[in-house]
Short mmCIF file of all heavy atoms in Angstrom, two decimals:
data_model
loop_
_atom_site.label_atom_id
_atom_site.label_comp_id
_atom_site.label_asym_id
_atom_site.label_seq_id
_atom_site.Cartn_x
_atom_site.Cartn_y
_atom_site.Cartn_z
N MET A 592 0.82 -1.19 0.00
CA MET A 592 0.00 0.00 0.00
C MET A 592 0.87 1.25 0.00
O MET A 592 0.54 2.23 -0.63
CB MET A 592 -0.94 -0.03 1.21
CG MET A 592 -1.85 1.17 1.32
SD MET A 592 -3.00 1.42 -0.01
CE MET A 592 -4.21 0.21 0.36
N TRP A 593 1.95 1.25 0.73
CA TRP A 593 2.78 2.45 0.83
C TRP A 593 3.49 2.79 -0.47
O TRP A 593 3.94 3.91 -0.65
CB TRP A 593 3.77 2.32 1.97
CG TRP A 593 4.73 1.18 1.83
CD1 TRP A 593 4.53 -0.09 2.26
CD2 TRP A 593 6.00 1.21 1.22
NE1 TRP A 593 5.61 -0.87 1.94
CE2 TRP A 593 6.54 -0.09 1.29
CE3 TRP A 593 6.75 2.19 0.60
CZ2 TRP A 593 7.78 -0.42 0.78
CZ3 TRP A 593 8.00 1.86 0.09
CH2 TRP A 593 8.48 0.57 0.19
N GLN A 594 3.60 1.83 -1.39
CA GLN A 594 4.26 2.10 -2.67
C GLN A 594 3.29 2.64 -3.72
O GLN A 594 3.73 3.11 -4.77
CB GLN A 594 4.91 0.83 -3.21
CG GLN A 594 6.08 0.37 -2.36
CD GLN A 594 6.67 -0.92 -2.88
OE1 GLN A 594 6.00 -1.69 -3.54
NE2 GLN A 594 7.92 -1.15 -2.57
N ASN A 595 2.00 2.55 -3.46
CA ASN A 595 1.01 3.01 -4.41
C ASN A 595 1.16 4.51 -4.63
O ASN A 595 1.20 5.28 -3.68
CB ASN A 595 -0.39 2.67 -3.87
CG ASN A 595 -1.47 2.93 -4.88
OD1 ASN A 595 -1.27 3.60 -5.88
ND2 ASN A 595 -2.64 2.40 -4.60
N LYS A 596 1.21 4.93 -5.89
CA LYS A 596 1.40 6.35 -6.21
C LYS A 596 0.08 7.11 -6.27
O LYS A 596 0.06 8.31 -6.41
CB LYS A 596 2.10 6.48 -7.56
CG LYS A 596 3.43 5.78 -7.64
CD LYS A 596 4.50 6.57 -6.96
CE LYS A 596 5.84 5.95 -7.24
NZ LYS A 596 6.62 5.66 -6.11
N GLY A 597 -1.05 6.41 -6.14
CA GLY A 597 -2.35 7.04 -6.26
C GLY A 597 -2.81 7.72 -4.98
O GLY A 597 -2.07 7.85 -3.99
N ILE A 598 -4.06 8.12 -5.00
CA ILE A 598 -4.63 8.85 -3.87
C ILE A 598 -4.74 7.98 -2.62
O ILE A 598 -4.55 8.46 -1.51
CB ILE A 598 -6.00 9.46 -4.26
CG1 ILE A 598 -6.46 10.49 -3.23
CG2 ILE A 598 -7.06 8.40 -4.45
CD1 ILE A 598 -5.73 11.77 -3.30
N LEU A 599 -5.01 6.68 -2.79
CA LEU A 599 -5.11 5.81 -1.62
C LEU A 599 -3.74 5.58 -0.98
O LEU A 599 -3.62 5.47 0.24
CB LEU A 599 -5.76 4.49 -1.99
CG LEU A 599 -7.24 4.58 -2.38
CD1 LEU A 599 -7.74 3.22 -2.84
CD2 LEU A 599 -8.07 5.10 -1.26
N GLY A 600 -2.70 5.53 -1.79
CA GLY A 600 -1.35 5.42 -1.24
C GLY A 600 -0.98 6.65 -0.45
O GLY A 600 -0.37 6.58 0.63
N HIS A 601 -1.38 7.81 -0.97
CA HIS A 601 -1.13 9.07 -0.26
C HIS A 601 -1.91 9.10 1.04
O HIS A 601 -1.41 9.55 2.08
CB HIS A 601 -1.51 10.25 -1.15
CG HIS A 601 -1.29 11.57 -0.51
ND1 HIS A 601 -0.05 12.06 -0.23
CD2 HIS A 601 -2.17 12.50 -0.07
CE1 HIS A 601 -0.17 13.26 0.35
NE2 HIS A 601 -1.46 13.53 0.46
N LEU A 602 -3.15 8.60 0.99
CA LEU A 602 -3.98 8.56 2.19
C LEU A 602 -3.36 7.65 3.25
O LEU A 602 -3.51 7.89 4.45
CB LEU A 602 -5.39 8.07 1.84
CG LEU A 602 -6.38 7.99 2.99
CD1 LEU A 602 -6.72 9.39 3.49
CD2 LEU A 602 -7.63 7.28 2.56
N TYR A 603 -2.66 6.62 2.83
CA TYR A 603 -1.99 5.73 3.78
C TYR A 603 -0.72 6.37 4.34
O TYR A 603 -0.48 6.33 5.55
CB TYR A 603 -1.62 4.40 3.12
CG TYR A 603 -0.79 3.52 4.00
CD1 TYR A 603 -1.38 2.77 5.00
CD2 TYR A 603 0.59 3.45 3.86
CE1 TYR A 603 -0.62 1.97 5.83
CE2 TYR A 603 1.36 2.66 4.68
CZ TYR A 603 0.75 1.93 5.66
OH TYR A 603 1.51 1.14 6.49
N ARG A 604 0.09 6.96 3.49
CA ARG A 604 1.38 7.48 3.93
C ARG A 604 1.26 8.65 4.90
O ARG A 604 2.04 8.77 5.84
CB ARG A 604 2.21 7.91 2.71
CG ARG A 604 2.80 6.77 1.95
CD ARG A 604 3.73 7.26 0.87
NE ARG A 604 3.06 8.09 -0.10
CZ ARG A 604 2.40 7.66 -1.17
NH1 ARG A 604 2.31 6.37 -1.39
NH2 ARG A 604 1.83 8.50 -2.01
N ARG A 605 0.29 9.52 4.69
CA ARG A 605 0.16 10.71 5.52
C ARG A 605 -0.07 10.37 6.99
O ARG A 605 0.71 10.78 7.85
CB ARG A 605 -0.94 11.59 4.94
CG ARG A 605 -1.00 12.95 5.53
CD ARG A 605 -2.02 13.82 4.84
NE ARG A 605 -3.13 13.02 4.33
CZ ARG A 605 -4.15 13.50 3.66
NH1 ARG A 605 -4.22 14.77 3.43
NH2 ARG A 605 -5.11 12.72 3.23
N PRO A 606 -1.12 9.61 7.34
CA PRO A 606 -1.29 9.29 8.77
C PRO A 606 -0.28 8.27 9.29
O PRO A 606 0.01 8.22 10.48
CB PRO A 606 -2.71 8.74 8.89
CG PRO A 606 -3.20 8.54 7.53
CD PRO A 606 -2.27 9.19 6.58
N SER A 607 0.26 7.45 8.41
CA SER A 607 1.22 6.45 8.82
C SER A 607 2.46 7.08 9.42
O SER A 607 3.05 6.56 10.36
CB SER A 607 1.59 5.57 7.64
OG SER A 607 2.58 4.64 8.00
N ALA A 608 2.84 8.22 8.87
CA ALA A 608 4.05 8.89 9.36
C ALA A 608 3.85 9.43 10.77
O ALA A 608 4.79 9.39 11.58
CB ALA A 608 4.41 10.04 8.43
N GLY A 609 2.68 9.90 11.10
CA GLY A 609 2.46 10.50 12.40
C GLY A 609 1.81 9.61 13.42
O GLY A 609 2.20 9.59 14.59
N LYS A 610 0.80 8.85 13.02
CA LYS A 610 -0.01 8.10 13.98
C LYS A 610 0.23 6.60 13.95
O LYS A 610 -0.31 5.89 14.78
CB LYS A 610 -1.49 8.37 13.72
CG LYS A 610 -1.86 9.82 13.91
CD LYS A 610 -3.32 10.06 13.64
CE LYS A 610 -3.67 11.52 13.80
NZ LYS A 610 -5.06 11.79 13.48
N GLY A 611 0.97 6.11 12.98
CA GLY A 611 1.26 4.68 12.92
C GLY A 611 0.47 3.99 11.82
O GLY A 611 -0.52 4.50 11.31
N SER A 612 0.94 2.81 11.48
CA SER A 612 0.36 2.11 10.34
C SER A 612 -1.02 1.55 10.62
O SER A 612 -1.84 1.43 9.71
CB SER A 612 1.29 0.99 9.88
OG SER A 612 1.43 0.02 10.88
N LYS A 613 -1.32 1.21 11.87
CA LYS A 613 -2.64 0.66 12.19
C LYS A 613 -3.74 1.69 11.91
O LYS A 613 -4.77 1.37 11.33
CB LYS A 613 -2.71 0.21 13.64
CG LYS A 613 -1.95 -1.05 13.91
CD LYS A 613 -2.14 -1.50 15.34
CE LYS A 613 -1.37 -2.77 15.59
NZ LYS A 613 -1.55 -3.25 16.97
N LYS A 614 -3.52 2.92 12.32
CA LYS A 614 -4.52 3.98 12.07
C LYS A 614 -4.60 4.29 10.58
O LYS A 614 -5.68 4.59 10.07
CB LYS A 614 -4.16 5.23 12.86
CG LYS A 614 -4.24 5.02 14.34
CD LYS A 614 -4.93 6.16 15.01
CE LYS A 614 -4.97 5.86 16.48
NZ LYS A 614 -6.07 6.44 17.15
N ALA A 615 -3.47 4.23 9.89
CA ALA A 615 -3.47 4.50 8.46
C ALA A 615 -4.24 3.43 7.70
O ALA A 615 -5.00 3.75 6.78
CB ALA A 615 -2.03 4.59 7.95
N ILE A 616 -4.07 2.19 8.08
CA ILE A 616 -4.80 1.10 7.43
C ILE A 616 -6.30 1.26 7.67
O ILE A 616 -7.11 1.05 6.78
CB ILE A 616 -4.29 -0.26 7.93
CG1 ILE A 616 -2.89 -0.51 7.39
CG2 ILE A 616 -5.23 -1.38 7.52
CD1 ILE A 616 -2.19 -1.70 7.99
N LYS A 617 -6.66 1.66 8.88
CA LYS A 617 -8.07 1.87 9.20
C LYS A 617 -8.65 3.01 8.37
O LYS A 617 -9.79 2.93 7.90
CB LYS A 617 -8.19 2.18 10.69
CG LYS A 617 -9.58 2.09 11.24
CD LYS A 617 -9.54 2.23 12.75
CE LYS A 617 -10.90 2.06 13.35
NZ LYS A 617 -10.87 2.19 14.80
N ALA A 618 -7.88 4.08 8.16
CA ALA A 618 -8.35 5.21 7.36
C ALA A 618 -8.55 4.80 5.90
O ALA A 618 -9.55 5.18 5.27
CB ALA A 618 -7.35 6.36 7.45
N VAL A 619 -7.64 4.01 5.37
CA VAL A 619 -7.76 3.55 3.97
C VAL A 619 -8.94 2.60 3.84
O VAL A 619 -9.70 2.68 2.86
CB VAL A 619 -6.45 2.89 3.49
CG1 VAL A 619 -6.63 2.25 2.12
CG2 VAL A 619 -5.33 3.91 3.45
N ALA A 620 -9.13 1.73 4.81
CA ALA A 620 -10.27 0.79 4.77
C ALA A 620 -11.59 1.54 4.81
O ALA A 620 -12.53 1.21 4.08
CB ALA A 620 -10.18 -0.19 5.94
N ARG A 621 -11.66 2.58 5.61
CA ARG A 621 -12.88 3.38 5.67
C ARG A 621 -13.13 4.08 4.34
O ARG A 621 -14.25 4.13 3.85
CB ARG A 621 -12.81 4.40 6.80
CG ARG A 621 -14.10 5.18 6.93
CD ARG A 621 -13.98 6.38 7.86
NE ARG A 621 -15.23 7.08 7.98
CZ ARG A 621 -15.74 7.88 7.04
NH1 ARG A 621 -15.12 8.06 5.90
NH2 ARG A 621 -16.89 8.49 7.23
N ARG A 622 -12.09 4.64 3.76
CA ARG A 622 -12.24 5.33 2.48
C ARG A 622 -12.70 4.36 1.39
O ARG A 622 -13.56 4.69 0.58
CB ARG A 622 -10.91 5.97 2.07
CG ARG A 622 -10.91 6.70 0.74
CD ARG A 622 -11.84 7.90 0.69
NE ARG A 622 -11.52 8.90 1.66
CZ ARG A 622 -10.77 9.97 1.44
NH1 ARG A 622 -10.26 10.18 0.24
NH2 ARG A 622 -10.53 10.84 2.40
N LEU A 623 -12.14 3.14 1.38
CA LEU A 623 -12.59 2.14 0.41
C LEU A 623 -14.04 1.76 0.63
O LEU A 623 -14.80 1.56 -0.33
CB LEU A 623 -11.70 0.90 0.50
CG LEU A 623 -10.31 1.03 -0.10
CD1 LEU A 623 -9.48 -0.20 0.23
CD2 LEU A 623 -10.40 1.23 -1.59
N ALA A 624 -14.46 1.67 1.90
CA ALA A 624 -15.85 1.35 2.20
C ALA A 624 -16.78 2.46 1.71
O ALA A 624 -17.85 2.18 1.15
CB ALA A 624 -16.03 1.14 3.70
N VAL A 625 -16.39 3.71 1.87
CA VAL A 625 -17.20 4.83 1.39
C VAL A 625 -17.28 4.82 -0.12
O VAL A 625 -18.35 5.03 -0.70
CB VAL A 625 -16.62 6.18 1.91
CG1 VAL A 625 -17.27 7.36 1.22
CG2 VAL A 625 -16.79 6.27 3.41
N ILE A 626 -16.17 4.55 -0.78
CA ILE A 626 -16.16 4.48 -2.25
C ILE A 626 -17.08 3.36 -2.72
O ILE A 626 -17.89 3.55 -3.63
CB ILE A 626 -14.72 4.26 -2.76
CG1 ILE A 626 -13.89 5.52 -2.55
CG2 ILE A 626 -14.73 3.87 -4.24
CD1 ILE A 626 -12.41 5.33 -2.79
N PHE A 627 -16.98 2.20 -2.09
CA PHE A 627 -17.82 1.07 -2.46
C PHE A 627 -19.30 1.38 -2.23
O PHE A 627 -20.15 1.10 -3.08
CB PHE A 627 -17.41 -0.17 -1.66
CG PHE A 627 -18.22 -1.39 -1.98
CD1 PHE A 627 -17.98 -2.09 -3.14
CD2 PHE A 627 -19.22 -1.82 -1.13
CE1 PHE A 627 -18.73 -3.22 -3.46
CE2 PHE A 627 -19.97 -2.94 -1.44
CZ PHE A 627 -19.73 -3.64 -2.61
N TYR A 628 -19.61 1.98 -1.09
CA TYR A 628 -21.00 2.34 -0.79
C TYR A 628 -21.56 3.28 -1.85
O TYR A 628 -22.68 3.09 -2.33
CB TYR A 628 -21.08 2.98 0.60
CG TYR A 628 -22.47 3.49 0.92
CD1 TYR A 628 -23.44 2.63 1.40
CD2 TYR A 628 -22.80 4.83 0.75
CE1 TYR A 628 -24.71 3.08 1.70
CE2 TYR A 628 -24.07 5.29 1.05
CZ TYR A 628 -25.02 4.41 1.52
OH TYR A 628 -26.28 4.86 1.81
N ASN A 629 -20.81 4.31 -2.20
CA ASN A 629 -21.29 5.27 -3.19
C ASN A 629 -21.46 4.63 -4.56
O ASN A 629 -22.40 4.97 -5.29
CB ASN A 629 -20.34 6.46 -3.29
CG ASN A 629 -20.46 7.36 -2.09
OD1 ASN A 629 -21.52 7.49 -1.49
ND2 ASN A 629 -19.36 7.99 -1.71
N MET A 630 -20.58 3.70 -4.90
CA MET A 630 -20.69 3.05 -6.21
C MET A 630 -21.92 2.14 -6.27
O MET A 630 -22.61 2.11 -7.28
CB MET A 630 -19.43 2.24 -6.50
CG MET A 630 -18.22 3.09 -6.80
SD MET A 630 -16.73 2.13 -7.04
CE MET A 630 -17.11 1.25 -8.53
N VAL A 631 -22.20 1.42 -5.19
CA VAL A 631 -23.29 0.46 -5.19
C VAL A 631 -24.64 1.13 -4.90
O VAL A 631 -25.60 0.97 -5.64
CB VAL A 631 -23.02 -0.67 -4.18
CG1 VAL A 631 -24.22 -1.57 -4.02
CG2 VAL A 631 -21.81 -1.47 -4.62
N LYS A 632 -24.70 1.88 -3.82
CA LYS A 632 -25.97 2.42 -3.37
C LYS A 632 -26.43 3.62 -4.21
O LYS A 632 -27.57 3.68 -4.62
CB LYS A 632 -25.83 2.84 -1.90
CG LYS A 632 -27.12 3.18 -1.23
CD LYS A 632 -27.93 1.95 -0.96
CE LYS A 632 -29.12 2.32 -0.09
NZ LYS A 632 -29.95 1.18 0.19
N LYS A 633 -25.52 4.56 -4.46
CA LYS A 633 -25.88 5.77 -5.17
C LYS A 633 -25.60 5.70 -6.67
O LYS A 633 -25.89 6.63 -7.39
CB LYS A 633 -25.14 6.97 -4.57
CG LYS A 633 -25.47 7.22 -3.12
CD LYS A 633 -24.70 8.41 -2.60
CE LYS A 633 -25.00 8.66 -1.14
NZ LYS A 633 -24.23 9.82 -0.64
N LYS A 634 -24.97 4.59 -7.09
CA LYS A 634 -24.63 4.36 -8.50
C LYS A 634 -23.77 5.50 -9.07
O LYS A 634 -24.00 6.00 -10.16
CB LYS A 634 -25.88 4.16 -9.34
CG LYS A 634 -26.66 2.94 -8.91
CD LYS A 634 -27.86 2.71 -9.73
CE LYS A 634 -28.59 1.48 -9.21
NZ LYS A 634 -29.86 1.27 -9.83
N ILE A 635 -22.78 5.89 -8.27
CA ILE A 635 -21.82 6.92 -8.68
C ILE A 635 -20.55 6.22 -9.12
O ILE A 635 -20.04 5.34 -8.44
CB ILE A 635 -21.53 7.88 -7.51
CG1 ILE A 635 -22.81 8.60 -7.09
CG2 ILE A 635 -20.44 8.86 -7.87
CD1 ILE A 635 -22.66 9.44 -5.85
N LYS A 636 -20.02 6.64 -10.26
CA LYS A 636 -18.76 6.05 -10.75
C LYS A 636 -17.60 6.52 -9.87
O LYS A 636 -17.62 7.62 -9.33
CB LYS A 636 -18.52 6.45 -12.20
CG LYS A 636 -19.48 5.82 -13.15
CD LYS A 636 -19.10 6.12 -14.56
CE LYS A 636 -20.06 5.44 -15.50
NZ LYS A 636 -19.70 5.66 -16.91
N TYR A 637 -16.59 5.68 -9.80
CA TYR A 637 -15.40 6.00 -8.99
C TYR A 637 -14.60 7.08 -9.67
O TYR A 637 -14.28 7.01 -10.85
CB TYR A 637 -14.53 4.75 -8.81
CG TYR A 637 -13.22 5.04 -8.14
CD1 TYR A 637 -13.17 5.49 -6.83
CD2 TYR A 637 -12.02 4.87 -8.82
CE1 TYR A 637 -11.98 5.75 -6.21
CE2 TYR A 637 -10.82 5.13 -8.20
CZ TYR A 637 -10.80 5.58 -6.90
OH TYR A 637 -9.61 5.84 -6.29
N ASP A 638 -14.30 8.14 -8.93
CA ASP A 638 -13.47 9.23 -9.42
C ASP A 638 -12.24 9.31 -8.52
O ASP A 638 -12.35 9.74 -7.37
CB ASP A 638 -14.24 10.54 -9.40
CG ASP A 638 -13.45 11.70 -9.97
OD1 ASP A 638 -12.43 11.44 -10.65
OD2 ASP A 638 -13.85 12.85 -9.76
N PRO A 639 -11.07 8.88 -9.01
CA PRO A 639 -9.89 8.86 -8.13
C PRO A 639 -9.43 10.25 -7.67
O PRO A 639 -8.65 10.36 -6.75
CB PRO A 639 -8.82 8.19 -8.98
CG PRO A 639 -9.30 8.30 -10.38
CD PRO A 639 -10.79 8.41 -10.32
N LYS A 640 -9.92 11.30 -8.29
CA LYS A 640 -9.49 12.65 -7.90
C LYS A 640 -10.23 13.18 -6.68
O LYS A 640 -9.83 14.16 -6.10
CB LYS A 640 -9.69 13.60 -9.07
CG LYS A 640 -8.79 13.25 -10.23
CD LYS A 640 -8.99 14.18 -11.38
CE LYS A 640 -8.10 13.77 -12.54
NZ LYS A 640 -8.32 14.57 -13.71
N LYS A 641 -11.31 12.52 -6.27
CA LYS A 641 -12.07 12.98 -5.09
C LYS A 641 -11.57 12.36 -3.84
O LYS A 641 -11.08 11.35 -3.72
CB LYS A 641 -13.55 12.67 -5.26
CG LYS A 641 -14.20 13.59 -6.22
CD LYS A 641 -15.69 13.39 -6.20
CE LYS A 641 -16.36 14.42 -7.05
NZ LYS A 641 -17.78 14.32 -7.01
#
């Protein structure tokens, strides 16, 4: 995850540096859950820039 150059990799690296990897993994998992929810429930396409 930390090598990913995309927005999710950035989301992992930022909190990982200050709060630790466990909190960073939790933040990325939550973001993925929100993305999945919006794609399925609201039928919104994934936009990596958001």
Side-chain angles (χ1 to χ4, degrees):
M592 180 62 77
W593 61 272
Q594 293 177 335
N595 188 345
K596 303 282 189 233
I598 193 75
L599 293 175
H601 180 68
L602 181 68
Y603 173 79
R604 284 187 299 275
R605 192 174 31 181
S607 177
K610 298 179 182 177
S612 64
K613 287 184 180 181
K614 295 225 180 209
I616 290 170
K617 195 172 183 180
V619 172
R621 184 191 181 285
R622 179 64 59 96
L623 285 172
V625 169
I626 290 169
F627 181 76
Y628 175 82
N629 287 329
M630 289 177 66
V631 172
K632 191 73 171 179
K633 298 180 181 180
K634 297 181 181 172
I635 298 174
K636 291 186 178 182
Y637 173 65
D638 183 15
K640 294 180 182 176
K641 285 189 174 183

